[in-house]
Amino acid sequence: MSGSGKRLGFIGLGMMGYPMASRLHQAGHSLIIFDVAEAQVDKFVREHTGAAVAENLEAYADVEVLITMLPDSDTVESTLLGKDGRNRLIDRLPSGAVVIDMGSSQPIRSRALAQSLEREGLHFLDAPVSGGVKGAVGGTLTIMVGGDETKFREALDVLHCMGKTITFVGGPGTGHALKALNNYVSAAGLIATVEALIVGQEFGLDAGLMIDIFNSSTGQNYTTLNKAKQYMLSGTFNSGFSLRLMTKDIGTASELGESLGWDMSLGQKVKQICAEAASALEGTADHTEMYRHLQSSKTA
Ligand code: NAD
């Protein structure tokens, strides 16, 4: 371990968290890890010498930074605040520790969580990411950070192990707000691309050719560049981002709009299409399976 390494807690070793924690280990930070999926924890410890498993909450007693990479706000809150006032991880963290929620949580709840942590002498940054599993493995994630700017600067050495474009975007919750809105824009582009591919093919166009033309035309978007050929037309459907999580993100974006008095009529439609696909497909379905789903849902 290098002399500059920090003592980090890391909770959530899923598709994203595993490679992110791996990069922190590689950079010389000392890691206390946890995931409810024991197989993930065992694998991580086998592959990363020196990483320690948090057998109980006391294990986090001297971490400087605690990172969560969990599915949603419910999981983050129950992890930090426990249930019915018991098993509160925040009671075990040392005063002054920084909690960084890098998952895609709900901005309004993150803002409230930041206040709860501040009252306990802790700090909170919401630092969600974009760039998918590929970005997590390569350390090239885009990270959008909300919270206290001084704490953001102090956390940059840690964040730089995982991301390339790291931007302070405002007060508590703004990182999570921006992430949800980004994923709304991304999902709208994905659905538009899929619908265009289906209609175009039925009219006799070649799908690969369509993507090539979109990519040199104004229809270009993240799906046309990075998902259509790679995960949809190839039939692999294994981008590593689940449809369930994408549906959650669109819900977050439209709830944010509603809380501010905005109807987001396209947002509602995108949310409805995602929810229908999520209930029609298996719980583990990749979000790129939207292509398979919409192909099979043609009305007469
Ligand atoms: P994932 O489902 O693969 O991983 C989540 C991990 O959290 C799992 O390993 C699960 O066992 C663990 N977990 C669940 N409840 C837990 C608990 N109470 N305590 C400890 N561990 C628990 O999800 P993911 O794809 O890694 O995404 C994580 C977060 O990042 C989500 O908020 C997601 O929306 C966001 N995100 C995902 C991607 C992507 O491409 N997959 C990209 C950007 C952001």
Side-chain angles (χ1 to χ4, degrees), residues 188-259:
L190 179 136
I191 292 167
T193 304
V194 167
E195 287 185 338
L197 279 174
I198 293 169
V199 171
Q201 286 177 94
E202 191 152 338
F203 196 70
L205 284 163
D206 177 78
L209 180 82
M210 286 181 73
I211 294 300
D212 290 340
I213 299 294
F214 286 157
N215 283 339
S216 59
S217 307
T218 51
Q220 182 198 86
N221 63 53
Y222 195 81
T223 294
T224 64
L225 287 168
N226 299 299
K227 297 179 188 175
K229 282 191 178 179
Q230 295 84 339
Y231 305 115
M232 295 175 180
L233 302 183
S234 67
T236 56
F237 303 115
N238 63 350
S239 78
F241 182 42
S242 69
L243 179 61
R244 178 179 51 85
L245 288 175
M246 185 172 88
T247 305
K248 169 210 58 170
D249 292 341
I250 311 315
T252 302
S254 65
E255 278 159 29
L256 179 65
E258 277 163 26
S259 76

Side-chain angles (χ1 to χ4, degrees), residues 9-25 31-48 51-54 60 67-71:
F10 199 108
I11 305 179
L13 300 169
M15 294 299 293
M16 295 293 285
Y18 194 102
M20 289 162 69
S22 189
R23 292 194 62 87
L24 290 166
H25 179 268
L31 284 181
I32 308 280
I33 53 148
F34 182 70
D35 193 297
V36 286
E38 281 178 28
Q40 286 296 92
V41 173
D42 293 347
K43 181 170 183 270
F44 196 92
V45 172
R46 263 198 322 276
E47 292 179 352
H48 301 83
V53 182
Y60 301 101
I67 295 174
T68 54
M69 195 56 182
L70 293 164

Side-chain angles (χ1 to χ4, degrees), residues 59-77:
Y60 301 101
D62 72 345
V63 300
E64 295 162 89
V65 175
L66 174 74
I67 295 174
T68 54
M69 195 56 182
L70 293 164
D72 51 28
S73 285
D74 283 349
T75 328
V76 172
E77 287 173 8

Side-chain angles (χ1 to χ4, degrees), residues 78-123:
S78 64
T79 297
L80 295 172
L81 308 176
K83 288 209 176 92
D84 306 323
R86 285 193 310 249
N87 295 324
R88 284 163 42 100
L89 172 51
I90 60 168
D91 291 341
R92 306 301 203 291
L93 294 174
S95 178
V98 183
V99 175
I100 310 182
D101 179 8
M102 302 194 72
S104 307
S105 303
Q106 294 174 31
I108 296 170
R109 289 170 72 173
S110 299
R111 201 158 59 183
L113 186 59
Q115 284 169 358
S116 303
L117 266 62
E118 291 293 335
R119 279 197 295 273
E120 304 288 334
L122 302 167
H123 306 285

